Amino acid sequence: MSALMWITVVSLAAWCWLLLCQGFFWRTDVRLPPRREPDAWPSVGVVVPARDEAAVLPASLPSLLAQDYPGRAEVFLVDDGSTDGTGDLARELSRRHGGLPLTVTSPGEPPPGWTGKLWAVRHGIGLARARDPGYLLLTDADIAHAPDSLRTLVAAAHAGGFDVVSQMARLRVESVWERLVVPAFVYFFAQLYPFRRIGRKGSRTAAAAGGCVLVRAGMAERARIPDGIRHAVIDDVALARAVKGAGGHVWLGLADRVDSVRPYPRLHDLWRMVSRSAYAQLRHNPLLLLGTVAGLALVYLVPPAAVVVGAAGGGAATAAAGALAWAVMAGTYVPMLRYYRQPLWLAPLLPFTASLYLLMTVDSAVQHYRGRGAAWKGRTYARPDAVADEG
């Protein structure tokens, strides 16, 4: 067999393994586990870190204030150095809509060693702990919740004995680029962190989705959240690892009625979202970067290349193997497209989308070595050890 045929066979074998042995990552039926309402509802502190979020708050904050929760709940919005009037707008929305009590506060500039939104989260958790809550809900300022969201999260945690219940919010898919890139973003995340493995006791796989994380307050203190992960750029994964490391039980699944209202209309917006932390995911390791690039090329780019080269050069076996690998790839993507209510003809385009993610990852490394580091809402972190605590 030719070299291309051998490579194509390896790619096909990789897809067969991913299909059957990677925690059935491609299935989208991991939703909130069975719920049982507690006899006495624990109090909840809702912490919302916000930095220049005036554009999205009118579509998100009222949904938090309107939570139909039988117990005591309070919202703490931490205005992290905003310049667009985020804090004042939050107060106005609270006056206009009523609902849960809202406290708006500002933590000041973070000290050295704190990345992303974790300094704001720390400030909010400190205020919430003064009320002695049973749970903390950490949710981003662009996340809109259904009226029963908090109630169902707490009921699921209570019924399953979970220390963390996290939902991957449904991201917006309206622009052309959002339709092409966003479902693949969740698909790739699930491939790295299969949801079924995360929820299995004894499994080392740990992840959460930062937009919606309910954590037992006692476990947050035991796992030293957020102080113990203050260097983490990918804070949601670091949080889940810290909880599992402290003996906690974590659950992550897809959301039905928790939605991100943040738009990503241009490719540039999506590119920045991915590249800001992609190299941090690889622990700023050049060898992991090379392995990732080679792996993406082998798994996602070889199948269509084999079809084209095999068909053009008369290599029927190579083209057939490439077509089969491509078909398995597209088939595993179909459930995610259905979840996002997108046309199924996008499934064969996954190799193109994967090539974009490959370039975004390389660009993330380039930005790192240019000294720009990771960034959050205009705040840049160039420290090379920014993810030391994620190990």
Side-chain angles (χ1 to χ4, degrees):
M1 291 191 292
S2 67
L4 178 58
M5 180 61 183
W6 277 112
I7 294 172
T8 305
V9 169
V10 172
S11 180
L12 176 58
W15 273 111
C16 291
W17 183 86
L18 288 169
L19 176 68
L20 300 174
C21 304
Q22 186 61 1
F24 295 100
F25 76 94
W26 44 271
R27 294 183 58 172
T28 56
D29 55 352
V30 181
R31 309 296 173 89
L32 272 179
R35 300 177 285 281
R36 184 179 70 253
E37 296 193 347
D39 296 331
W41 288 90
S43 62
V44 181
V46 182
V47 177
V48 185
R51 180 175 170 87
D52 292 333
E53 298 286 17
V56 297
L57 274 186
S60 61
L61 184 58
S63 73
L64 273 178
L65 301 176
Q67 285 301 297
D68 177 21
Y69 185 66
R72 180 167 60 87
E74 185 172 353
V75 179
F76 301 90
L77 187 139
V78 185
D79 182 5
D80 188 8
S82 299
T83 59
D84 65 350
T86 288
D88 291 336
L89 176 59
R91 296 184 185 95
E92 173 59 28
L93 290 169
S94 178
R95 285 191 292 267
R96 191 187 312 163
H97 294 277
L100 297 182
L102 173 70
T103 298
V104 178
T105 183
S106 179
E109 284 298 309
W114 286 83
T115 60
K117 59 190 178 186
L118 287 172
W119 177 244
V121 169
R122 184 184 192 274
H123 192 70
I125 288 178
L127 293 175
R129 279 179 175 155
R131 275 68 163 177
D132 193 26
Y135 287 92
L136 299 164
L137 175 62
L138 312 181
T139 184
D140 288 344
D142 65 319
I143 302 299
H145 293 256
D148 63 346
S149 177
L150 183 55
R151 181 176 189 145
T152 57
L153 286 166
V154 171
H158 170 74
F162 295 107
D163 297 289
V164 168
V165 173
S166 179
Q167 289 186 289
M168 177 75 72
R170 198 188 301 261
L171 304 177
R172 201 187 89 143
V173 282
E174 295 183 14
S175 72
V176 172
W177 287 111
E178 286 171 340
R179 293 173 185 272
L180 188 65
V181 174
V182 165
F185 176 82
V186 182
Y187 171 89
F188 292 141
F189 184 93
Q191 192 175 82
L192 286 172
Y193 306 103
F195 295 164
R196 279 176 172 75
R197 290 183 181 172
I198 292 169
R200 188 185 307 152
K201 280 190 174 181
S203 169
R204 297 180 60 185
T205 305
C212 178
V213 180
L214 181 79
V215 56
R216 199 181 302 273
M219 176 53 71
E221 189 168 1
R222 179 178 173 184
R224 298 183 60 244
I225 293 169
D227 295 61
I229 59 171
R230 63 187 179 276
H231 298 313
V233 174
I234 309 173
D235 51 87
D236 42 13
V237 174
L239 181 150
R241 287 176 177 167
V243 168
K244 280 208 169 185
H249 193 188
V250 177
W251 183 92
L252 171 63
L254 294 172
D256 288 315
R257 301 172 67 204
V258 177
D259 302 290
S260 172
V261 298
R262 190 182 306 282
Y264 294 96
R266 303 170 300 168
L267 177 60
H268 170 75
D269 304 313
L270 291 158
W271 193 289
R272 186 171 55 184
M273 177 189 74
V274 175
S275 65
R276 75 173 184 85
S277 59
Y279 198 39
Q281 178 69 49
L282 302 177
R283 304 176 187 178
H284 299 150
N285 187 318
L287 293 179
L288 285 178
L289 174 65
L290 290 174
T292 298
V293 170
L296 285 171
L298 173 68
V299 174
Y300 289 98
L301 305 186
V302 164
V307 171
V308 172
V309 174
T318 299
L324 183 55
W326 197 353
V328 175
M329 179 200 313
T332 62
Y333 192 36
V334 164
M336 189 61 69
L337 290 174
R338 285 179 173 160
Y339 170 73
Y340 271 99
R341 305 182 186 95
Q342 296 304 301
L344 300 188
W345 57 261
L346 288 171
L349 299 183
L350 187 56
F352 172 73
T353 305
S355 69
L356 291 178
Y357 276 90
L358 187 156
L359 294 173
M360 293 173 192
T361 302
V362 172
D363 181 57
S364 179
V366 170
Q367 297 306 318
H368 172 77
Y369 289 116
R370 284 181 175 176
R372 298 179 185 178
W376 181 70
K377 307 295 286 183
R379 187 182 287 154
T380 302
Y381 308 92
R383 290 184 51 189
D385 59 339
V387 291
D389 283 0
E390 287 190 42

